[in-house]
Amino acid sequence: MNGEAYRVEPGTEVRLQSHDPSDLTLCESGKKPGRRLTTELNARLGELQEVLYAEGKHKVLVVLQAMDTGGKDGTIRHVFDGTNPQGVKVASFKKPTARELAHDYLWRVHRHTPGSGEIVIFNRSHYEDVLVVRVRHLVAPEVWGRRYDHINDFERRLTDEGTTILKFFLNISKEEQKARLQSRLDEPHKRWKFSRDDLAERELWEDYQVAYAAVLRRTSTAWAPWYIVPADRKWYRNLVVSQVLLDALEGLDMSYPQPEEGLADVVVE
Ligand code: AMP
Ligand code: MG
């Protein structure tokens, strides 16, 4: 299995209509084997994260973006369940506070980027500043229009300084969102997740598709690629994200730090 099939080639036009949210082509054997495979991948991911942490050399940034109910929380829960919380952090970006709004939009983001040996997962990100901000007209078009270039430069700076960046757009269908929102209303223990805002956002579905297509076309770069993950099936979404992450970590060629000389002869009395 190779998640590269879902990587967006830099500079290519993205038509989201031609990306099927219920695609399962990399695991046609179905849900059960798919979940088993994910469990194996996650165990390996846990091992590599341990080396990443011990070596303290590389930094990894994972960006998750999706429409409401797209599965950002579920992805974090499942893909990272084999990792050590000591070396993995999650940063969630909500509506900016007054203090955050008083600064440029990258200000609040930069301080959460990973340090050496860390994996940081962005649950939403600076991309909201060209998504919700664009769709809801929170700033003028010439202001958000300049941001794609800023973002590419910002991410370039991070990768130049030793960060690996992977960006996932969890692609759900409008029908699947309807079902998931409805189940948030129907199931009492899920109701806390529901917000009336979600319905207003849903009405803007088409505008968001346009805004996402622009993001994917303009900010999938050689140094910080986007992956469009079919996300109508949760097990498949987890499998694809785990696989892409694992391949990236394998590619880092990491090793545990050299221990001190002569430790083999040391006996603890
Ligand atoms: P949730 O992820 O469901 O907790 O919702 C967070 C909300 O914050 C979403 O409605 C986002 O669109 C919103 N949000 C995140 N970043 C920004 C931003 N930069 N400007 C405006 N709204 C934002
Ligand atoms: Mg929400």
Side-chain angles (χ1 to χ4, degrees), residues 27-231:
C27 187
E28 279 169 337
S29 49
K31 181 170 174 172
K32 249 190 170 171
R35 287 174 99 160
R36 207 165 335 140
L37 180 55
T38 305
T39 305
E40 285 167 25
L41 297 179
N42 289 355
R44 178 82 187 118
L45 201 62
E47 286 166 17
L48 286 177
Q49 184 252 322
E50 180 79 18
V51 188
L52 181 98
Y53 182 74
E55 191 181 47
K57 199 161 114 192
H58 301 278
K59 323 175 225 289
V60 177
L61 175 61
V62 176
V63 173
L64 296 180
Q65 283 288 158
M67 296 295 288
D68 288 318
T69 75
K72 300 185 298 297
D73 297 330
T75 302
I76 295 169
R77 209 164 51 239
H78 288 102
V79 173
F80 296 93
D81 69 352
T83 58
N84 179 349
Q86 186 130 253
V88 180
K89 293 182 182 152
V90 179
S92 297
F93 296 96
K94 309 281 183 186
K95 280 197 179 79
T97 62
R99 183 162 157 74
E100 286 167 352
L101 279 175
H103 295 76
D104 76 273
Y105 65 98
L106 291 171
W107 181 77
R108 68 169 179 166
V109 175
H110 199 176
R111 53 188 288 264
H112 291 288
T113 54
S116 301
E118 283 178 355
I119 297 178
V120 173
I121 305 147
F122 279 3
N123 182 346
R124 301 188 192 269
S125 64
H126 42 299
Y127 285 98
E128 293 293 326
D129 293 284
V130 283
L131 289 164
V132 63
V133 165
R134 170 177 176 170
V135 169
R136 294 223 166 248
H137 310 291
L138 302 182
V139 301
E142 56 275 20
V143 176
W144 59 254
R146 292 191 290 257
R147 292 181 173 175
Y148 303 96
D149 288 340
H150 302 159
I151 289 173
N152 288 337
D153 289 346
F154 170 65
E155 292 178 351
R156 182 66 200 236
R157 172 150 57 116
L158 296 177
T159 59
D160 278 351
E161 298 285 324
T163 304
T164 298
I165 305 181
L166 298 165
K167 305 182 293 200
F168 298 96
F169 170 52
L170 310 178
N171 187 27
I172 56 163
S173 63
K174 201 174 175 189
E175 301 73 55
E176 180 65 17
Q177 189 194 51
K178 180 180 159 87
R180 291 187 190 181
L181 283 174
Q182 191 61 52
S183 89
R184 282 186 182 180
L185 284 166
D186 295 345
E187 295 176 40
H189 69 281
K190 286 190 185 168
R191 217 167 274 157
W192 67 273
K193 271 200 163 190
F194 186 86
S195 143
R196 278 203 170 76
D197 283 354
D198 296 348
L199 298 181
E201 291 286 280
R202 179 170 165 78
E203 301 221 336
L204 297 168
W205 182 276
E206 297 311 323
D207 295 348
Y208 272 105
Q209 295 293 105
V210 170
Y212 266 110
V215 161
L216 295 163
R217 176 172 68 83
R218 298 192 61 180
T219 64
S220 194
T221 54
W223 57 92
W226 275 105
Y227 292 82
I228 302 176
V229 180

Side-chain angles (χ1 to χ4, degrees), residues 1-7 25-27 33-46 48 62 75 78-80 164 166 168 170 227 229-230 234-252:
M1 153 141 190
N2 186 345
E4 291 308 296
Y6 297 117
R7 186 160 59 86
T25 43
L26 299 184
C27 187
R35 287 174 99 160
R36 207 165 335 140
L37 180 55
T38 305
T39 305
E40 285 167 25
L41 297 179
N42 289 355
R44 178 82 187 118
L45 201 62
L48 286 177
V62 176
T75 302
H78 288 102
V79 173
F80 296 93
T164 298
L166 298 165
F168 298 96
L170 310 178
Y227 292 82
V229 180
K234 294 171 182 172
W235 66 268
Y236 189 73
R237 169 202 78 202
N238 295 339
L239 178 59
V240 171
V241 174
S242 293
Q243 182 72 64
V244 170
L245 249 156
L246 189 56
D247 288 343
L249 292 188
E250 301 267 13
L252 289 180

